[in-house]
Amino acid sequence: MTEKFSPAVMTLLDEAQALTRQNIQIELGTKKVGYIRHGQSRQIKNDDGSITIDVTDSTNVDYTVSHELLHLLLLQQGYPQIRFNLTTGEELLNRQLWATASELYNVVSHVVIGAQQQELKLVDEQVQAQYLAGILQEVPAEEKADRLVVFRTLALLDTLVFYRGDTTTFDQQFEQRYPAAYHGAQALYQVIANKSIDSPFTFRRALVNLFAAFDPWLTSVGLATTNHNQLITLDGVFSPRQQRLEVRQVFEILHSELNVREGGKSAYIGLGKNDQQNTFVLAAPAGEKQSAEFFKKVYGQSVQEFMQEQQIPFMERK
């Protein structure tokens, strides 16, 4: 199917295969709705280690395939990941909270991915029109007391990222069709738009800030908060100096009401002192004496030694 793609997409495909050291297959569906949405493709990891990019709609294969490849490349280029290490004990609630965290993570990812697509000239007026058509088709207009406020707001936030804050083509239409959600999306967009996002460190900072802003917005529309800063583990990004500091200088380790997802043990969360974001989760040894000795050792270790010993992923700030 590779003959269907532009040279820019083929270059991305070669780069992704080189970095993953895996064969990447692209499967194109026959459906063609005439608009684009980011849900029109997905990655599938096969049993043999190869990766399949399944494109369910072929309205604009260059845009959709490049978008998926760039997501894959972010994983290979040292950008921090979110991890669902904790459980509330309620599966439905878990899925809802993990879903909103994933959407917020993707929003920040799309800042980086969109900039790269722009550089590769994969976003033109046709793509912009197809994206807007997708929003209008799949995001229904607001009605009183409906339950789609979070879905709408996150979809419109992603739209603002796609258009890089330029609302010329849809501002008036969105004001009329989505007044509350559009207002919320604009406020959240400002949180990630005021500083550049072009490295793992700035990416992480933007996502932490977005997590922090999301709960006050939820409160403002009468919804329960997510506490993503504690529930969701976000890989750390540390300078060489920070890696040499003791754990006690960089983190607070707090006992949580939540449990470790794998095994169900009582959880301890490592919150960054600077940003109060969950960077790692520990299950302490059973027994008061063993637990005290364990944490005494942990707090005295260097961040690098501790992370490596506990096999906790982190990135080095360049």
Side-chain angles (χ1 to χ4, degrees):
M1 289 296 203
T2 54
E3 70 276 4
K4 293 181 178 290
F5 308 130
S6 71
V9 174
M10 291 303 302
T11 298
L12 285 177
L13 178 59
D14 291 342
E15 184 179 353
Q17 291 189 130
L19 285 176
T20 61
R21 298 181 181 179
Q22 296 293 346
N23 181 45
I24 299 175
Q25 305 156 2
I26 301 172
E27 295 185 358
L28 300 180
T30 57
K31 188 177 179 182
K32 197 170 185 178
V33 295
Y35 58 80
I36 54 177
R37 296 289 290 131
H38 290 149
Q40 292 173 340
S41 61
R42 60 179 181 147
Q43 297 174 29
I44 302 170
K45 191 156 188 178
N46 303 309
D47 292 340
D48 63 359
S50 66
I51 298 167
T52 297
I53 294 179
D54 180 29
V55 179
T56 58
D57 186 279
S58 59
T59 294
N60 193 314
V61 294
D62 277 343
Y63 176 84
T64 302
V65 172
S66 67
H67 181 89
E68 206 63 55
L69 287 170
L70 287 165
H71 265 293
L72 186 58
L73 284 168
L74 282 186
L75 293 174
Q76 306 300 318
Q77 293 167 345
Y79 278 77
Q81 305 300 302
I82 55 173
R83 303 179 192 275
F84 308 125
N85 292 325
L86 297 171
T87 177
T88 65
E90 299 179 28
E91 192 58 31
L92 178 58
L93 179 59
N94 284 342
R95 289 200 300 267
Q96 291 171 338
L97 293 170
W98 296 338
T100 57
S102 296
E103 289 298 318
L104 293 168
Y105 180 87
N106 284 336
V107 162
V108 180
S109 299
H110 293 163
V111 175
V112 181
I113 288 169
Q116 293 172 321
Q117 286 179 306
Q118 291 278 351
E119 288 179 13
L120 294 169
K121 303 190 184 305
L122 291 167
V123 178
D124 55 18
E125 290 184 2
Q126 181 187 45
V127 170
Q128 291 180 345
Q130 289 169 339
Y131 188 97
L132 182 57
I135 291 294
L136 297 175
Q137 179 67 32
E138 295 197 1
V139 182
E142 284 179 8
E143 297 178 9
K144 290 183 179 179
D146 69 18
R147 298 181 178 181
L148 295 176
V149 61
V150 173
F151 165 72
R152 274 196 206 89
T153 301
L154 294 180
L156 300 187
L157 174 58
D158 209 26
T159 302
L160 290 170
V161 167
F162 174 83
Y163 287 96
R164 298 195 288 183
D166 182 357
T167 63
T168 306
T169 58
F170 55 78
D171 187 65
Q172 189 172 10
Q173 190 173 18
F174 280 14
E175 287 281 5
Q176 295 174 350
R177 186 176 171 92
Y178 315 112
Y182 188 37
H183 181 266
Q186 287 175 308
L188 292 172
Y189 179 71
Q190 290 308 311
V191 173
I192 57 176
N194 61 357
K195 291 185 178 180
S196 63
I197 303 173
D198 55 8
S199 68
F201 171 76
T202 56
F203 179 100
R204 189 182 192 280
R205 178 181 63 193
L207 184 55
V208 169
N209 290 340
L210 188 56
F211 278 167
F214 188 57
D215 275 356
W217 172 77
L218 286 172
T219 300
S220 75
V221 295
L223 296 175
T225 56
T226 61
N227 295 316
H228 282 332
N229 68 306
Q230 291 198 19
L231 175 68
I232 305 300
T233 304
L234 175 61
D235 294 344
V237 181
F238 307 113
S239 67
R241 175 185 170 276
Q242 287 174 310
Q243 292 177 50
R244 292 191 295 270
L245 294 176
E246 291 184 350
V247 168
R248 73 178 78 251
Q249 296 174 281
V250 180
F251 295 106
E252 301 172 68
I253 302 178
L254 303 180
H255 184 251
S256 174
E257 296 178 358
L258 304 172
N259 290 330
V260 178
R261 185 180 173 194
E262 189 174 334
K265 292 184 178 180
S266 182
Y268 289 80
I269 304 173
L271 295 180
K273 285 190 172 182
N274 290 335
D275 59 21
Q276 293 299 296
Q277 177 63 47
N278 172 344
T279 307
F280 60 84
V281 170
L282 297 172
E288 187 175 337
K289 182 179 179 181
Q290 293 93 327
S291 182
E293 290 175 351
F294 173 76
F295 283 114
K296 181 179 179 181
K297 175 189 174 185
V298 164
Y299 272 122
Q301 288 181 300
S302 71
V303 169
Q304 183 184 59
E305 180 187 12
F306 164 71
M307 293 293 210
Q308 290 176 344
E309 183 176 292
Q310 296 295 326
Q311 298 182 319
I312 297 169
F314 71 94
M315 290 79 201
E316 182 164 300
R317 182 179 176 181
K318 304 298 183 182

